[in-house]
Amino acid sequence: MAEWKELGNKAKNLTLAGLGKARDLGQSAKLNLDNVSEEENRKRIYVEIGKRFVSEHATAPEGYETFYRQLEEVEGRIEANKARLNQLKDEG
């Protein structure tokens, strides 16, 4: 009979350990999701900072010339795409 009791205790301990691991995994998943959300918030804030900086500094401050040039190139491609889209609408 003692063997059955030991086996029952082992099963109970394994179940409790499994529940603890499941709880830990759940908490880890939640924390990971929270971090993804916070990283998106951080990106949004950086974008707003960048927009404000560029609007307040029409010409590139020293050290920012490359970024301003890249921004102009991107904006040029966006405008070209918009023009092409309008052209396709007019043709259709």
Side-chain angles (χ1 to χ4, degrees):
M1 259 321 165
E3 290 178 21
W4 283 105
K5 192 172 191 176
E6 285 180 36
L7 188 59
N9 284 338
K10 286 182 182 180
K12 179 181 174 184
N13 289 340
L14 284 174
T15 300
L16 291 175
L19 289 173
K21 287 289 183 190
R23 185 185 65 244
D24 290 347
L25 287 173
Q27 288 176 347
S28 291
K30 183 188 180 310
L31 290 170
N32 281 324
L33 285 173
D34 288 347
N35 277 347
V36 167
S37 177
E38 292 302 335
E39 287 171 1
E40 287 301 315
N41 285 336
R42 180 176 55 195
K43 287 178 188 177
R44 181 185 50 78
I45 292 166
Y46 276 134
V47 166
E48 290 304 316
I49 290 169
K51 285 179 182 178
R52 183 176 290 183
F53 182 89
V54 170
S55 72
E56 292 174 1
H57 300 90
T59 57
E62 186 176 329
Y64 290 84
E65 297 88 358
T66 301
F67 296 117
Y68 271 62
R69 189 170 41 260
Q70 290 172 346
L71 185 58
E72 288 173 8
E73 291 169 359
V74 167
E75 288 174 349
R77 288 191 298 269
I78 290 170
E79 289 305 313
N81 288 340
K82 285 181 181 179
R84 181 65 180 137
L85 284 168
N86 285 333
Q87 184 181 22
L88 290 172
K89 270 191 230 176
D90 293 342
E91 293 173 1

